[in-house]
Amino acid sequence: MQSLQDIMGNRNFDEPVEVTVIKDFVRKQFQMDVGVYLQTHSITITTPSSGLAGSLRPLLHKLKKELKTEKKLFIRIG
């Protein structure tokens, strides 16, 4: 029987670069934390309030340039 260390020891639990860039961008601009969900063709940013979502929306072009990605960016409140 394998131990939990054997099973989980070879996994990489680091965040993808896109997630780190988005979280740092929002923390720098708004001093708030957000959730980030990556998919094949899109990235969803989950904000805790509609105010943050509304303030973040005009900055999506700037954020997309920092990410250097062609994925679509979505904002979700929740």
Side-chain angles (χ1 to χ4, degrees):
M1 180 183 238
Q2 291 181 327
S3 71
L4 186 58
Q5 177 65 31
D6 294 336
I7 296 170
M8 303 301 282
N10 296 330
R11 300 250 177 159
N12 182 3
F13 294 105
D14 294 337
E15 288 183 333
V17 175
E18 294 99 338
V19 174
T20 305
V21 170
I22 292 169
K23 287 183 175 185
D24 289 345
F25 179 85
V26 174
R27 278 189 201 117
K28 187 178 4 173
Q29 295 288 328
F30 303 105
Q31 295 77 41
M32 298 279 295
D33 289 326
V34 294
V36 180
Y37 181 68
L38 297 176
Q39 294 177 321
T40 307
H41 301 289
S42 66
I43 300 172
T44 303
I45 304 167
T46 305
T47 66
S49 69
S50 60
L52 177 59
S55 298
L56 184 58
R57 188 164 309 282
L59 300 175
L60 286 181
H61 289 27
K62 183 178 178 181
L63 180 57
K64 195 168 184 175
K65 284 183 182 178
E66 281 192 31
L67 287 172
K68 298 175 186 162
T69 185
E70 292 300 316
K71 293 182 179 183
K72 292 183 180 182
L73 298 177
F74 296 101
I75 298 176
R76 182 175 156 219
I77 303 164

